[in-house]
Amino acid sequence: PCMPEITSTLADELKESFEDKFGPVSEAAVMGSQSGSQVMSRGFGFVTFKNQSSYFEAVRQHFIILFGKKVRSLGQHDIILCV
């Protein structure tokens, strides 16, 4: 299953990973849901790139490996992932 706990550094790790692969990222977020005292990943997130060329490269790839998992880019300025 694709439902780990969201840590305080997960969005930073996501941002760094996309920056390493595609270029500058202005913001990254992992969507979560409260589960008791924990916030669990909902299995997707969003990345906002600082420039269009980075965005187009990420979308062109369509699938990439991120955190050891296959990630699907859906375009429309978002990147869908399983973390």
Side-chain angles (χ1 to χ4, degrees):
C2 182
M3 294 291 289
E5 182 178 1
I6 295 178
T7 64
S8 60
T9 62
L10 188 56
D12 291 335
E13 292 169 21
L14 176 66
K15 180 180 176 182
E16 190 175 293
S17 183
F18 272 89
E19 285 181 330
D20 289 347
K21 292 178 188 332
F22 303 110
V25 170
S26 59
E27 186 177 17
V30 177
M31 300 297 100
S33 295
Q34 192 72 36
S35 178
S37 63
Q38 301 175 322
V39 178
M40 304 302 285
S41 169
R42 291 182 56 202
F44 68 97
F46 300 92
V47 174
T48 303
F49 292 97
K50 289 184 179 179
N51 58 57
Q52 243 183 359
S53 61
S54 297
Y55 163 74
F56 285 126
E57 180 60 23
V59 171
R60 187 185 69 74
Q61 297 260 333
H62 198 64
F63 289 101
I64 61 171
I65 302 300
L66 185 66
F67 303 129
K69 296 181 173 134
K70 194 173 191 179
V71 175
R72 182 173 155 208
S73 166
L74 295 182
Q76 300 300 322
H77 299 19
D78 57 2
I79 301 294
I80 302 302
L81 63 143
C82 182
V83 294

